Structures are given as C-alpha cells and as structure tokens.
Amino acid sequence: MSTYSSEARRAAKLKWLNAPPGMTEELAAEFMRRLTAGDTLSKLTSGRVLPALVTRERFRKHCELCPEWAIEARRLAKVNEKAAAEIRKTVTWRLAIQRSADNRRTAERCKNGHIRTLDNTFYEQHLGYLVRRCKDCIKNRRQLLMPSPSQVRASIASLHEGGTLSSAASHVQQSMRNFIRANPKIGARLRCLSDKNASVHRSAAQRARRRFAASALTRNNGEDAYEAVRRATAHLTEDERDDVMSRMFLAIAEDRLTLSEARSRVGEFLKDHRRRPRVYGEAWLSLDNPLGDDSGMTWLDTKTDADRLWG
C-alpha cells in the first residue's frame, strides 16, 4: 500500500513537472467560467474544484502569458473574494449572536445574578432569535430611571393646565414616580395638584352625563316613563303624588332609576319627599313641626320679627 502511494505521488510530481507552463485553453475557459459563477481564487487553486495542476503558481504564470485574460480573471477574483469575506463576516456575526442567545437562554442566572424562575422570566424576539429576559433586572432599571429636566417641566406645566400625573406616557409616569420618591416635598404638592385636577375631571364628567336625559325618559315621546311613574304612584294622595312623580322623573333622566324599578322604589322617593330638616338635636325640637295634629301652622310661623332678631 505504501509502495503504491509513493509511486502515485511520484507520477503526479513528474506529470506536474512535465506539464507546460500556464493552462490549456480548455482549462483557462473552465477557470474563467468558474470565476464568473462566483468561485474564489483560493477555492479554484486548492484542487477542490479543478484538477490539481491548476495551482496559484500556474495561475500567475498563465496571467503573465495572457495579459488580457489576466485582467478579467483578477477583477473577478477580487470581486468574489470581497463577497466571500462579507458572507463569512455575516455568518460569523450571526453565529456569535446565536451562541450568545443560546447561552443566555440556558443559563440558570441572569447577568446580574438573579435566579431564573417562571415568574421573573419572559421571552422576546431579538434580531430574529428567541432571547430570555429577566423581569427583576427590568424592574431595577425602572427604579433607577429619573426624568430629564424638560420632562419635569412639561409634567408640572401639564398639571397647572388641568392634567394629571397618570395622563403622561407610561415611561414618563415611571420616571416621575421615581422623581417624587426622591423629592417628597415637591412630590406631595404635585400629587395634591393631580388629585385636585382628577376630582375636577370626575365632576365635569358627571355633569356631562346628567346634561342629557336618559333614553328611558324620551322613549315613545315620554309615554312609557309617564305611564310607569303614574302606575307606581297611583296609591299616593294628591298633595304628595305630584312631588314624588317629579322626583322620580328627575331620577329617570339622571339614569338613577329604571322604568322596571319604579313600582318597587317609589317608597324611597316618598320618604325623601316627607323628610323634614332638623334645626338642632331631635326632630321634635324642629321649628318645622306643626303646633298640633290638626294644625297647619308650625312653630316657625309663631315667631315674630323681634324673636328672629334676638334669636
């Protein structure tokens, strides 16, 4: 076996020594076709694509013998080498990213030392790869985030114009919370102003809701609401029925009472109509109490102007 190998090597060496300088026309045409296809010079002269007789030395010799052929061949070789270098760089860069992502994905701890658990871990796509993130690290970064001076001035101006702390963007809200914790005196004033503005907004929204009558009151030109309230108050006396009906109509308009609840809740409005305000202490001390069971005069009617003046 060794004898055959040595003889084969000797024959190949003699063939290479006896071969003419440069390349044949067929070999040169095949070489140029391979260069045009995108093969590099190092690949073509290594013996992996063409016969081993095409070495770098024979390529250089053929370029000396054929200058016109050499110009195009060297140009294509330079372009192919540059493209191959870019491909190797991209592949190496992507492989490095993939290895880094795989290492982070399988690590038991994050880079800051937090233990990986199901509760503090989530996954996201980064440059086309699945990367594991740590919620504890993100929480710590948010706690250290402070707003810029322009953001603080913009938030204060928004509060003076009627805005609230919660009306800003989410990242500005987090940074402003950190700013308020770091500056408690200023933070207390900002929170107070924000709460005041929020209360004003709620009151305005409530007034806006009451500005328009509920659909139940305007349905069928008001006939449905009137019939429901009339049936619910049919058992009341005439001197109380009109006032109770007015209160119920107002409640329906403000969407505090539905037509189906009119009969069951008529007692609430009757009780509110009969309520008498107390001046001091118990109800029997009120000046609005009648003088007697059958009297329509109250204690307030017996007071003269002098009594009201000195009282």
Side-chain angles (χ1 to χ4, degrees), residues 253-270:
E254 294 178 354
D255 207 11
R256 294 185 289 110
L257 176 66
T258 61
L259 300 185
S260 59
E261 298 175 349
R263 185 180 296 274
S264 60
R265 295 181 57 187
V266 65
E268 300 178 15
F269 298 94
L270 179 61

Side-chain angles (χ1 to χ4, degrees), residues 9-270:
R9 285 197 297 272
R10 190 179 301 108
K13 184 176 181 180
L14 291 175
K15 184 177 180 181
W16 184 82
L17 291 174
N18 296 329
M23 294 182 287
T24 61
E25 293 183 1
E26 295 80 5
L27 195 57
E30 179 67 15
F31 199 92
M32 182 62 70
R33 189 184 68 81
R34 295 281 183 169
L35 287 175
T36 306
D39 291 340
T40 60
L41 184 61
S42 58
K43 183 178 180 180
L44 295 177
T45 56
S46 62
R48 292 178 296 175
V49 179
L50 296 179
L53 292 178
V54 182
T55 60
R56 189 171 289 273
E57 183 65 26
R58 286 193 177 275
F59 171 75
R60 190 179 300 109
K61 186 65 176 177
H62 190 77
C63 290
E64 294 177 357
L65 296 176
C66 304
E68 297 180 358
W69 183 89
I71 294 174
E72 183 64 17
R74 286 174 176 171
R75 186 188 68 81
L76 292 175
K78 185 178 180 180
V79 172
N80 295 343
E81 288 291 345
K82 185 177 180 180
E86 290 293 334
I87 294 175
R88 286 194 298 271
K89 181 180 179 180
T90 304
V91 171
T92 303
W93 176 63
R94 288 192 172 273
L95 289 177
I97 294 177
Q98 182 66 47
R99 285 194 299 269
S100 177
D102 293 338
N103 293 337
R104 291 195 301 271
R105 192 183 305 114
T106 57
E108 296 182 356
R109 293 177 177 269
C110 69
K111 63 180 181 180
N112 294 323
H114 300 131
I115 299 177
R116 302 283 193 182
T117 60
L118 294 177
D119 296 333
N120 69 344
T121 304
F122 68 98
Y123 294 86
E124 67 177 5
Q125 291 288 338
H126 179 66
L127 298 177
Y129 301 99
L130 191 64
V131 180
R132 184 165 61 173
R133 301 297 189 190
C134 179
K135 294 182 181 179
D136 294 336
C137 295
I138 296 177
K139 187 183 300 182
N140 294 339
R141 287 198 298 269
R142 287 179 179 175
Q143 291 177 354
L144 298 177
L145 181 64
M146 295 297 290
S148 62
S150 59
Q151 290 177 343
V152 175
R153 287 193 292 268
S155 299
I156 295 176
S158 176
L159 291 176
H160 285 295
E161 293 175 359
T164 60
L165 292 173
S166 59
S167 61
S170 58
H171 65 281
V172 178
Q173 292 182 28
Q174 179 63 43
S175 59
M176 285 301 297
R177 283 195 291 268
N178 298 338
F179 176 80
I180 290 173
R181 283 194 291 265
N183 304 274
K185 292 185 178 180
I186 300 177
R189 298 179 61 183
L190 295 180
R191 289 183 186 276
C192 181
L193 186 56
S194 178
D195 295 341
K196 182 179 178 181
N197 295 338
S199 178
V200 172
H201 292 170
R202 288 192 297 267
S203 300
Q206 188 175 7
R207 288 194 302 269
R209 287 194 299 268
R210 293 182 177 180
R211 187 175 302 168
F212 301 98
S215 59
L217 186 63
T218 58
R219 188 184 309 156
N220 195 14
N221 294 328
E223 293 293 336
D224 295 346
Y226 177 78
E227 186 65 22
V229 174
R230 187 189 64 81
R231 290 180 180 180
T233 58
H235 63 285
L236 300 181
T237 60
E238 294 182 1
D239 57 339
E240 293 180 332
R241 184 184 305 159
D242 293 339
D243 293 335
V244 174
M245 289 180 66
S246 299
R247 292 176 183 271
M248 296 181 70
F249 283 134
L250 182 61
I252 294 174
E254 294 178 354
D255 207 11
R256 294 185 289 110
L257 176 66
T258 61
L259 300 185
S260 59
E261 298 175 349
R263 185 180 296 274
S264 60
R265 295 181 57 187
V266 65
E268 300 178 15
F269 298 94
L270 179 61

